Amino acid sequence: MSHHPKLAIIGFGTMGQAICAGLVEASGYPASLIHAVDVHPAAMKARADALGIRLSKDVETAAREAEVVLLCVKPKDLKELLSGLTASGVLDHKPLMVSIAAGTNLAFLDAHTPAGTPLVRAMPNTPCSIRKGMTVLSPGKGVTEAQLDAARALFEPLGRVMDLEEKHMDAVTGLSASGPAFIFVILEALAEGGVQCGLPRGVAVELAAQATLGAASMVLETGRHPAALKDEVTTPAGCTIAGLLALEDGRIRSVVARGIERAAQVAGGLG
Ligand SMILES: NC(=O)c1ccc[n+]([C@@H]2O[C@H](COP(=O)([O-])OP(=O)(O)OC[C@H]3O[C@@H](n4cnc5c(N)ncnc54)[C@H](OP(=O)(O)O)[C@@H]3O)[C@@H](O)[C@H]2O)c1
């Protein structure tokens, strides 16, 4: 596989544009090698022009010419898209296919692509749009290390990348892809607490966001367990233990953990 393979991005919505921008702006991927396809190209023309990539409605040409096809359409649109591409023969050269569709497993992708097509399932999240994302990859059978490297190279400009077995993908979707929405709610609640204690709202939001960022960075950068870091800031008879006990009275741990469990269950049914 070439260092910068010819890339088709099918579906140029929120995620397709975020990944494309990361590749062109942050990793120096040659824009001339990217062909994005969408059913509404006129609506996205300005974005495509700014990135310098080709954008069209011509999904067959994009797929036929690509070494890597990145599927960024909604799960409900995948079956018709893949069946049409397979029937028209434009996937016969067996490009590497990378799908970010939630709840859509490798077996489904395999069933709707030509036999022997190399497949990788990926689960990014919306912080990818500011290059603070997390993407988990699951390679299908027969995917070579070079092909997996090519899939990794699509997401590394957007944040962290991790490989996991496909059996974990619904949990990954509930925690990592839905997770930012849960954090936004928690962050909003932290800020409300500050407002209740008299802080101006803008100040409260900034303090809550920076505390969240700082705490997350401490976990990632030190590799230490969150409980150990929490114990270190909990002075006996101090204000932090008083606040923690109030949170525990509200069953904060089980409420948050059950939210992830529920999101993962729903993710499993999306495909
Ligand atoms: N957003 C997230 O946080 C997130 C995170 C992880 C994974 N994902 C996955 O990423 C995928 C895309 O999500 P998104 O939020 O980027 O969706 P989106 O903004 O709706 O973008 C998808 C785009 O693809 C177009 N499209 C539909 N069928 C097509 C076809 N046959 N050929 C070309 N373009 C087609 C859509 O047009 P229409 O609007 O007319 O359908 C739309 O413009 C989904 O499968 C989702 O599960 C999303």
Side-chain angles (χ1 to χ4, degrees):
M1 175 132 335
S2 27
H3 177 51
H4 285 127
K6 282 190 88 174
L7 174 66
I9 299 177
I10 304 182
F12 199 55
T14 307
M15 294 305 291
Q17 290 184 32
I19 295 167
C20 187
L23 286 172
V24 174
E25 292 171 350
S27 86
Y29 205 100
S32 59
L33 296 177
I34 301 176
H35 185 170
V37 179
D38 202 280
V39 286
H40 313 289
M44 292 118 186
K45 186 175 178 313
R47 187 72 179 121
D49 288 350
L51 292 169
I53 62 153
R54 180 174 170 195
L55 171 68
S56 78
K57 281 176 92 160
D58 188 355
V59 69
E60 294 193 355
T61 300
R64 185 187 301 109
E65 293 176 350
E67 294 169 85
V68 177
V69 177
L70 179 62
L71 299 164
C72 299
V73 300
K74 294 281 188 199
K76 69 176 176 52
D77 296 319
L78 260 186
K79 185 175 177 182
E80 192 181 329
L81 170 67
L82 291 178
S83 303
L85 292 175
T86 300
S88 63
V90 296
L91 297 177
D92 286 353
H93 61 301
K94 297 186 183 148
L96 172 66
M97 309 274 290
V98 181
S99 166
I100 67 166
T104 306
N105 59 25
L106 288 164
F108 174 94
L109 299 170
D110 191 50
H112 294 89
T113 48
T117 301
L119 301 166
V120 173
R121 188 173 165 193
M123 186 46 58
N125 63 10
T126 47
C128 285
S129 63
I130 57 158
R131 288 155 213 168
K132 303 277 185 201
M134 181 75 228
T135 302
V136 175
L137 301 177
S138 293
K141 275 186 256 143
V143 168
T144 65
E145 201 48 48
Q147 289 167 330
L148 190 53
D149 281 346
R152 277 192 203 106
L154 298 178
F155 299 100
E156 277 171 350
L158 309 176
R160 291 176 178 247
V161 178
M162 182 189 287
D163 304 341
L164 279 179
E165 284 180 62
E166 194 190 19
K167 66 181 181 186
H168 297 302
M169 267 311 199
D170 292 336
V172 166
T173 307
L175 174 54
S176 181
S178 301
F182 304 146
I183 297 295
F184 293 140
V185 170
I186 291 168
L187 217 151
E188 193 188 2
L190 293 171
E192 297 273 273
V195 171
Q196 169 68 10
C197 297
L199 290 175
R201 185 166 292 277
V203 171
V205 170
E206 184 172 340
L207 295 185
Q210 186 63 24
T212 306
L213 177 65
S217 300
M218 282 178 80
V219 172
L220 289 172
E221 288 173 22
T222 66
R224 297 181 64 208
H225 195 285
L229 293 166
K230 181 252 311 166
D231 286 353
E232 275 177 10
V233 293
T234 310
T235 311
C239 57
T240 306
I241 187 65
L244 284 169
L245 291 182
L247 294 177
E248 298 289 5
D249 288 345
R251 299 169 61 202
I252 184 165
R253 287 170 202 260
S254 60
V255 166
V256 173
R258 293 278 179 226
I260 306 297
E261 182 186 40
R262 187 73 194 110
Q265 285 166 351
V266 172
L270 288 179

mmCIF file of all heavy atoms in Angstrom, residues 10-15 37-40 44 72-75 77 81 100-102 123-124 126, ligand 1:
data_model
loop_
_atom_site.group_PDB
_atom_site.id
_atom_site.type_symbol
_atom_site.label_atom_id
_atom_site.label_comp_id
_atom_site.label_asym_id
_atom_site.label_seq_id
_atom_site.Cartn_x
_atom_site.Cartn_y
_atom_site.Cartn_z
ATOM 1 N N ILE A 10 -16.792 8.360 1.410
ATOM 2 C CA ILE A 10 -18.187 8.290 0.964
ATOM 3 C C ILE A 10 -19.085 8.729 2.118
ATOM 4 O O ILE A 10 -19.131 8.079 3.163
ATOM 5 C CB ILE A 10 -18.538 6.878 0.460
ATOM 6 C CG1 ILE A 10 -17.555 6.499 -0.655
ATOM 7 C CG2 ILE A 10 -19.982 6.844 -0.040
ATOM 8 C CD1 ILE A 10 -17.812 5.164 -1.280
ATOM 9 N N GLY A 11 -19.772 9.855 1.915
ATOM 10 C CA GLY A 11 -20.533 10.522 2.970
ATOM 11 C C GLY A 11 -19.677 11.660 3.512
ATOM 12 O O GLY A 11 -18.715 11.432 4.239
ATOM 13 N N PHE A 12 -20.000 12.896 3.102
ATOM 14 C CA PHE A 12 -19.160 14.036 3.488
ATOM 15 C C PHE A 12 -19.930 14.924 4.465
ATOM 16 O O PHE A 12 -20.079 16.116 4.288
ATOM 17 C CB PHE A 12 -18.739 14.799 2.226
ATOM 18 C CG PHE A 12 -17.542 15.694 2.419
ATOM 19 C CD1 PHE A 12 -16.343 15.202 2.907
ATOM 20 C CD2 PHE A 12 -17.616 17.050 2.098
ATOM 21 C CE1 PHE A 12 -15.242 16.029 3.080
ATOM 22 C CE2 PHE A 12 -16.516 17.894 2.259
ATOM 23 C CZ PHE A 12 -15.327 17.368 2.760
ATOM 24 N N GLY A 13 -20.469 14.272 5.522
ATOM 25 C CA GLY A 13 -21.196 15.010 6.571
ATOM 26 C C GLY A 13 -20.249 15.355 7.710
ATOM 27 O O GLY A 13 -19.063 15.614 7.500
ATOM 28 N N THR A 14 -20.780 15.337 8.926
ATOM 29 C CA THR A 14 -20.006 15.748 10.104
ATOM 30 C C THR A 14 -18.689 14.985 10.212
ATOM 31 O O THR A 14 -17.609 15.581 10.316
ATOM 32 C CB THR A 14 -20.848 15.496 11.380
ATOM 33 O OG1 THR A 14 -22.109 16.129 11.222
ATOM 34 C CG2 THR A 14 -20.159 16.035 12.608
ATOM 35 N N MET A 15 -18.758 13.661 10.187
ATOM 36 C CA MET A 15 -17.545 12.865 10.420
ATOM 37 C C MET A 15 -16.656 12.837 9.178
ATOM 38 O O MET A 15 -15.429 12.920 9.288
ATOM 39 C CB MET A 15 -17.913 11.441 10.856
ATOM 40 C CG MET A 15 -18.606 11.361 12.201
ATOM 41 S SD MET A 15 -17.710 12.133 13.565
ATOM 42 C CE MET A 15 -16.307 11.053 13.767
ATOM 43 N N VAL A 37 -17.427 11.954 -1.675
ATOM 44 C CA VAL A 37 -18.695 11.777 -2.384
ATOM 45 C C VAL A 37 -19.842 12.019 -1.416
ATOM 46 O O VAL A 37 -19.803 11.543 -0.276
ATOM 47 C CB VAL A 37 -18.815 10.332 -2.930
ATOM 48 C CG1 VAL A 37 -20.146 10.143 -3.644
ATOM 49 C CG2 VAL A 37 -17.661 10.014 -3.860
ATOM 50 N N ASP A 38 -20.834 12.773 -1.856
ATOM 51 C CA ASP A 38 -22.030 12.952 -1.027
ATOM 52 C C ASP A 38 -23.224 13.130 -1.945
ATOM 53 O O ASP A 38 -23.075 13.556 -3.097
ATOM 54 C CB ASP A 38 -21.881 14.145 -0.081
ATOM 55 C CG ASP A 38 -22.821 14.043 1.114
ATOM 56 O OD1 ASP A 38 -24.015 14.367 0.958
ATOM 57 O OD2 ASP A 38 -22.362 13.601 2.192
ATOM 58 N N VAL A 39 -24.402 12.823 -1.398
ATOM 59 C CA VAL A 39 -25.611 13.022 -2.204
ATOM 60 C C VAL A 39 -25.982 14.505 -2.295
ATOM 61 O O VAL A 39 -26.811 14.887 -3.105
ATOM 62 C CB VAL A 39 -26.807 12.195 -1.656
ATOM 63 C CG1 VAL A 39 -26.634 10.731 -1.976
ATOM 64 C CG2 VAL A 39 -26.986 12.388 -0.164
ATOM 65 N N HIS A 40 -25.370 15.336 -1.456
ATOM 66 C CA HIS A 40 -25.636 16.792 -1.506
ATOM 67 C C HIS A 40 -24.336 17.559 -1.720
ATOM 68 O O HIS A 40 -23.945 18.362 -0.862
ATOM 69 C CB HIS A 40 -26.242 17.284 -0.184
ATOM 70 C CG HIS A 40 -27.345 16.446 0.336
ATOM 71 N ND1 HIS A 40 -28.581 16.403 -0.258
ATOM 72 C CD2 HIS A 40 -27.407 15.600 1.392
ATOM 73 C CE1 HIS A 40 -29.351 15.578 0.413
ATOM 74 N NE2 HIS A 40 -28.672 15.066 1.412
ATOM 75 N N MET A 44 -21.839 21.137 0.359
ATOM 76 C CA MET A 44 -20.518 20.988 0.994
ATOM 77 C C MET A 44 -19.391 21.539 0.129
ATOM 78 O O MET A 44 -18.224 21.381 0.460
ATOM 79 C CB MET A 44 -20.218 19.498 1.221
ATOM 80 C CG MET A 44 -21.097 18.858 2.245
ATOM 81 S SD MET A 44 -22.055 17.558 1.481
ATOM 82 C CE MET A 44 -23.106 17.110 2.854
ATOM 83 N N CYS A 72 -18.510 6.800 5.471
ATOM 84 C CA CYS A 72 -18.954 7.738 6.509
ATOM 85 C C CYS A 72 -20.438 8.068 6.346
ATOM 86 O O CYS A 72 -20.855 9.196 6.610
ATOM 87 C CB CYS A 72 -18.145 9.023 6.461
ATOM 88 S SG CYS A 72 -16.392 8.800 6.746
ATOM 89 N N VAL A 73 -21.236 7.111 5.878
ATOM 90 C CA VAL A 73 -22.681 7.330 5.791
ATOM 91 C C VAL A 73 -23.327 6.739 7.046
ATOM 92 O O VAL A 73 -22.702 6.010 7.799
ATOM 93 C CB VAL A 73 -23.294 6.698 4.512
ATOM 94 C CG1 VAL A 73 -22.669 7.307 3.267
ATOM 95 C CG2 VAL A 73 -23.133 5.186 4.508
ATOM 96 N N LYS A 74 -24.606 7.054 7.249
ATOM 97 C CA LYS A 74 -25.340 6.518 8.399
ATOM 98 C C LYS A 74 -25.505 5.006 8.235
ATOM 99 O O LYS A 74 -25.576 4.509 7.097
ATOM 100 C CB LYS A 74 -26.719 7.174 8.490
ATOM 101 C CG LYS A 74 -26.664 8.661 8.792
ATOM 102 C CD LYS A 74 -26.407 8.918 10.255
ATOM 103 C CE LYS A 74 -26.549 10.395 10.587
ATOM 104 N NZ LYS A 74 -25.884 10.733 11.861
ATOM 105 N N PRO A 75 -25.610 4.281 9.343
ATOM 106 C CA PRO A 75 -25.753 2.819 9.243
ATOM 107 C C PRO A 75 -26.897 2.396 8.320
ATOM 108 O O PRO A 75 -26.764 1.445 7.547
ATOM 109 C CB PRO A 75 -26.022 2.401 10.700
ATOM 110 C CG PRO A 75 -25.384 3.475 11.526
ATOM 111 C CD PRO A 75 -25.516 4.735 10.740
ATOM 112 N N ASP A 77 -27.921 3.602 5.629
ATOM 113 C CA ASP A 77 -27.632 3.791 4.197
ATOM 114 C C ASP A 77 -26.587 2.820 3.654
ATOM 115 O O ASP A 77 -26.331 2.786 2.446
ATOM 116 C CB ASP A 77 -27.146 5.233 3.941
ATOM 117 C CG ASP A 77 -28.209 6.266 4.253
ATOM 118 O OD1 ASP A 77 -29.379 6.015 3.903
ATOM 119 O OD2 ASP A 77 -27.881 7.313 4.850
ATOM 120 N N LEU A 81 -25.870 1.173 -0.365
ATOM 121 C CA LEU A 81 -24.624 1.707 -0.936
ATOM 122 C C LEU A 81 -23.682 0.565 -1.322
ATOM 123 O O LEU A 81 -23.201 0.489 -2.462
ATOM 124 C CB LEU A 81 -23.949 2.627 0.094
ATOM 125 C CG LEU A 81 -22.529 3.081 -0.235
ATOM 126 C CD1 LEU A 81 -22.516 4.003 -1.451
ATOM 127 C CD2 LEU A 81 -21.887 3.788 0.955
ATOM 128 N N ILE A 100 -17.008 3.591 9.535
ATOM 129 C CA ILE A 100 -17.161 4.177 10.874
ATOM 130 C C ILE A 100 -18.610 4.061 11.355
ATOM 131 O O ILE A 100 -18.981 4.669 12.360
ATOM 132 C CB ILE A 100 -16.704 5.650 10.906
ATOM 133 C CG1 ILE A 100 -17.620 6.553 10.063
ATOM 134 C CG2 ILE A 100 -15.257 5.790 10.461
ATOM 135 C CD1 ILE A 100 -17.403 8.044 10.335
ATOM 136 N N ALA A 101 -19.447 3.307 10.635
ATOM 137 C CA ALA A 101 -20.870 3.238 10.980
ATOM 138 C C ALA A 101 -21.081 2.530 12.319
ATOM 139 O O ALA A 101 -20.598 1.415 12.520
ATOM 140 C CB ALA A 101 -21.638 2.520 9.872
ATOM 141 N N ALA A 102 -21.830 3.168 13.201
ATOM 142 C CA ALA A 102 -22.104 2.580 14.512
ATOM 143 C C ALA A 102 -22.946 1.316 14.359
ATOM 144 O O ALA A 102 -23.818 1.240 13.482
ATOM 145 C CB ALA A 102 -22.839 3.592 15.389
ATOM 146 N N MET A 123 -14.348 3.166 15.158
ATOM 147 C CA MET A 123 -15.294 3.978 15.928
ATOM 148 C C MET A 123 -14.594 5.232 16.454
ATOM 149 O O MET A 123 -13.899 5.211 17.466
ATOM 150 C CB MET A 123 -15.884 3.150 17.091
ATOM 151 C CG MET A 123 -16.971 3.859 17.866
ATOM 152 S SD MET A 123 -18.235 4.677 16.837
ATOM 153 C CE MET A 123 -18.863 3.323 15.858
ATOM 154 N N PRO A 124 -14.748 6.360 15.716
ATOM 155 C CA PRO A 124 -14.200 7.638 16.188
ATOM 156 C C PRO A 124 -15.210 8.341 17.107
ATOM 157 O O PRO A 124 -16.286 7.805 17.374
ATOM 158 C CB PRO A 124 -14.010 8.415 14.881
ATOM 159 C CG PRO A 124 -15.011 7.842 13.930
ATOM 160 C CD PRO A 124 -15.397 6.466 14.412
ATOM 161 N N THR A 126 -16.743 12.645 18.297
ATOM 162 C CA THR A 126 -16.794 14.012 17.758
ATOM 163 C C THR A 126 -15.602 14.889 18.163
ATOM 164 O O THR A 126 -15.266 15.801 17.393
ATOM 165 C CB THR A 126 -18.098 14.760 18.124
ATOM 166 O OG1 THR A 126 -18.349 14.578 19.501
ATOM 167 C CG2 THR A 126 -19.256 14.282 17.311
HETATM 168 N N1 LIG B 1 -21.390 11.845 14.645
HETATM 169 C C1 LIG B 1 -20.729 11.098 15.546
HETATM 170 O O1 LIG B 1 -20.499 11.467 16.689
HETATM 171 C C2 LIG B 1 -20.229 9.751 15.141
HETATM 172 C C3 LIG B 1 -19.265 9.107 15.932
HETATM 173 C C4 LIG B 1 -18.794 7.854 15.516
HETATM 174 C C5 LIG B 1 -19.300 7.269 14.362
HETATM 175 N N2 LIG B 1 -20.258 7.895 13.654
HETATM 176 C C6 LIG B 1 -20.776 7.268 12.444
HETATM 177 O O2 LIG B 1 -20.379 8.093 11.373
HETATM 178 C C7 LIG B 1 -21.304 7.913 10.298
HETATM 179 C C8 LIG B 1 -21.630 9.277 9.731
HETATM 180 O O3 LIG B 1 -22.184 10.073 10.755
HETATM 181 P P1 LIG B 1 -22.325 11.652 10.534
HETATM 182 O O4 LIG B 1 -22.736 12.195 11.860
HETATM 183 O O5 LIG B 1 -21.118 12.181 9.858
HETATM 184 O O6 LIG B 1 -23.569 11.663 9.495
HETATM 185 P P2 LIG B 1 -24.016 12.822 8.517
HETATM 186 O O7 LIG B 1 -23.545 14.148 9.027
HETATM 187 O O8 LIG B 1 -25.484 12.607 8.270
HETATM 188 O O9 LIG B 1 -23.195 12.541 7.164
HETATM 189 C C9 LIG B 1 -23.516 11.508 6.259
HETATM 190 C C10 LIG B 1 -23.628 12.126 4.876
HETATM 191 O O10 LIG B 1 -23.648 11.067 3.900
HETATM 192 C C11 LIG B 1 -24.695 11.342 2.972
HETATM 193 N N3 LIG B 1 -25.100 10.122 2.291
HETATM 194 C C12 LIG B 1 -26.124 9.273 2.584
HETATM 195 N N4 LIG B 1 -26.132 8.247 1.698
HETATM 196 C C13 LIG B 1 -25.105 8.443 0.837
HETATM 197 C C14 LIG B 1 -24.619 7.738 -0.299
HETATM 198 N N5 LIG B 1 -25.191 6.611 -0.723
HETATM 199 N N6 LIG B 1 -23.549 8.239 -0.940
HETATM 200 C C15 LIG B 1 -22.941 9.378 -0.536
HETATM 201 N N7 LIG B 1 -23.375 10.104 0.531
HETATM 202 C C16 LIG B 1 -24.435 9.636 1.208
HETATM 203 C C17 LIG B 1 -25.740 11.951 3.842
HETATM 204 O O11 LIG B 1 -26.785 12.566 3.107
HETATM 205 P P3 LIG B 1 -28.292 12.555 3.773
HETATM 206 O O12 LIG B 1 -28.195 13.528 4.900
HETATM 207 O O13 LIG B 1 -29.200 12.982 2.698
HETATM 208 O O14 LIG B 1 -28.560 11.157 4.246
HETATM 209 C C18 LIG B 1 -24.911 12.922 4.660
HETATM 210 O O15 LIG B 1 -24.635 14.108 3.964
HETATM 211 C C19 LIG B 1 -22.519 7.172 10.869
HETATM 212 O O16 LIG B 1 -22.510 5.845 10.390
HETATM 213 C C20 LIG B 1 -22.293 7.188 12.366
HETATM 214 O O17 LIG B 1 -22.758 5.989 12.979
HETATM 215 C C21 LIG B 1 -20.714 9.143 13.987
#
